[in-house]
Amino acid sequence: MRQRAGLDSALTVLAPVVWGSTYLVTTQFLPPDRPLLAAAVRALPGGLILTLAGRRLPQGHWWWRILVLGALNIGVFFYLLFVAAYHLPGGVAALVGSIQPVFVLLLSALLLREVVQGRQVGACVLGTAGVGMLVLGPEAGLDAIGVAAGLGGAACMASGIVLTKRWGRPPGVGLLTFTGWQLAVGGLLIAPVALAAEGLPERLTWSNVAGFGYLSLIGALLAYAVWFRGIERLPALTVSLLGFASPLAATVLGFLFLQQGLTPVQGAGAIAVIGAVLLAQRSSARKPLEPDPPMETAGTGTETPTAAGPAHPAPPSPQAGNRSAARSSRPIAESRQTTEREQS
């Protein structure tokens, strides 16, 4: 059980690691001053591809649920994230966003009826302190709009994680299709705002096309599929704390490719972040993991029924016993009559 949780965490953490490369890709490959356009291109193409490939649309109450999840996990979250980035230094924005696990902890207690543990609180505090050491610099400053947007974005993502955990997936809908619905909804929410506020760039280079392709296919389509899989299999707080790997990856990539310095304080912050993730992993490993969802039948929207265990035979009724006894005694009586005739 603990090994399985470790493998699920190792796979899930790939999503925030990929998201940590967004800053590098944006600054080196994308057109300048188009953050909302980048967010729309990141979400919408991959969402439409997955939705068309799945050849299914939400039904019934899942329409409004997908609208809510798509807005919380993608659309509104991206918008608030960029507002915070414009009004705050990058380090402060990341530090404000790192309060997300606290929101997840509270919402999990309210909506998922999970008991708050001391280890979990300690992991939240340790992780937030680690992010602060990783990203804060001397230029740190506060702005009321930026702080409000950062807190709003953290609350959006936390709500999306907990509601995704609570609602699960519609029966018979694959993970990629479920991911595609949310990306498509989020992209459709962002696209009009991006076109109105920023417009389209006058020209695109091949580097721009490569950057947009990476954000759409790797940064959204693949990363969010892995992320939502992790939400299904791991406790909500564990998934949220794995998000601390994003600023850690951004710091390491900046050091490797952008010649950005790495101070001892940042090194201590990286150790604190890793410690927070491991602490949350230990607390989640003690909980029984949820069973895997039923497998889907290929090409249909039905679920494969689980194999039934050996059935217990029902006790025979008295009538059945009398009929059986009568049938078993009949050959004996006939044999006795045959023997008497032979002797006579």
Side-chain angles (χ1 to χ4, degrees):
M1 181 181 299
R2 182 171 298 179
Q3 182 180 6
R4 175 183 163 189
L7 292 175
D8 289 335
S9 296
L11 182 60
T12 305
V13 80
L14 293 178
V17 167
V18 169
W19 296 334
S21 67
T22 301
Y23 175 79
L24 175 65
V25 173
T26 300
T27 56
Q28 302 300 310
F29 292 94
L30 299 188
D33 303 324
R34 293 291 193 281
L36 288 177
L37 178 64
V41 174
R42 178 181 175 182
L44 189 55
L48 293 178
I49 290 173
L50 292 179
T51 301
L52 292 175
R55 294 182 295 179
R56 291 194 62 176
L57 292 175
Q59 296 180 355
H61 64 271
W62 273 103
W63 274 108
W64 68 264
R65 286 187 175 183
I66 290 299
L67 290 175
V68 171
L69 293 178
L72 292 175
N73 286 322
I74 312 293
V76 178
F77 170 68
F78 279 179
Y79 178 74
L80 293 175
L81 185 67
F82 285 119
V83 170
Y86 270 119
H87 286 81
L88 295 173
V92 178
L95 183 61
V96 173
S98 68
I99 200 172
Q100 179 199 118
V102 178
F103 288 140
V104 170
L105 193 64
L106 296 176
L107 290 174
S108 296
L110 291 175
L111 299 179
L112 305 179
R113 305 295 178 86
E114 293 185 358
V115 179
V116 178
Q117 301 177 0
R119 288 178 181 270
Q120 296 173 328
V121 177
C124 291
V125 174
L126 184 60
T128 301
V131 170
M133 289 186 285
L134 270 174
V135 299
L136 281 183
E139 76 284 358
L142 296 180
D143 176 272
I145 296 177
V147 172
L151 292 175
C156 275
M157 192 63 169
S159 301
I161 291 174
V162 174
L163 288 178
T164 302
K165 185 74 174 178
R166 178 180 175 88
W167 290 339
R169 270 188 283 144
V173 173
L175 179 62
L176 293 180
T177 301
F178 184 65
T179 303
W181 290 349
Q182 297 188 56
L183 288 174
V185 168
L188 289 173
L189 289 175
I190 301 172
V193 180
L195 293 176
E198 299 173 354
L200 297 175
E202 296 181 359
R203 59 184 295 270
L204 289 177
T205 65
W206 286 111
S207 296
N208 299 152
V209 174
F212 282 130
Y214 173 84
L215 289 182
S216 179
L217 298 179
I218 306 300
L221 189 153
L222 179 62
Y224 271 101
V226 170
W227 184 248
F228 292 137
R229 176 189 179 276
I231 294 177
E232 288 184 352
R233 294 170 176 257
L234 296 169
L237 181 65
T238 301
V239 176
S240 181
L241 287 170
L242 290 176
F244 286 149
S246 184
L248 178 59
T251 302
V252 173
L253 290 174
F255 172 76
L256 294 176
F257 296 101
L258 301 179
Q259 287 75 50
Q260 295 176 349
L262 189 63
T263 65
V265 174
Q266 289 177 309
I271 295 175
V273 167
I274 296 173
V277 173
L278 294 178
L279 185 59
Q281 182 66 38
R282 284 190 61 187
S283 62
S284 64
R286 300 189 175 192
K287 297 180 180 180
L289 290 175
E290 297 179 1
D292 291 339
M295 295 180 61
E296 300 167 17
T297 304
T300 67
T302 59
E303 298 178 357
T304 304
T306 56
H312 295 284
S317 62
Q319 293 83 357
N322 294 337
R323 287 194 299 267
S324 177
R327 285 195 299 267
S328 62
S329 61
R330 192 174 301 161
I332 299 176
E334 292 175 355
S335 176
R336 287 178 179 176
Q337 292 176 358
T338 302
T339 304
E340 290 174 356
R341 283 197 299 269
E342 289 176 353
Q343 291 177 351
S344 60

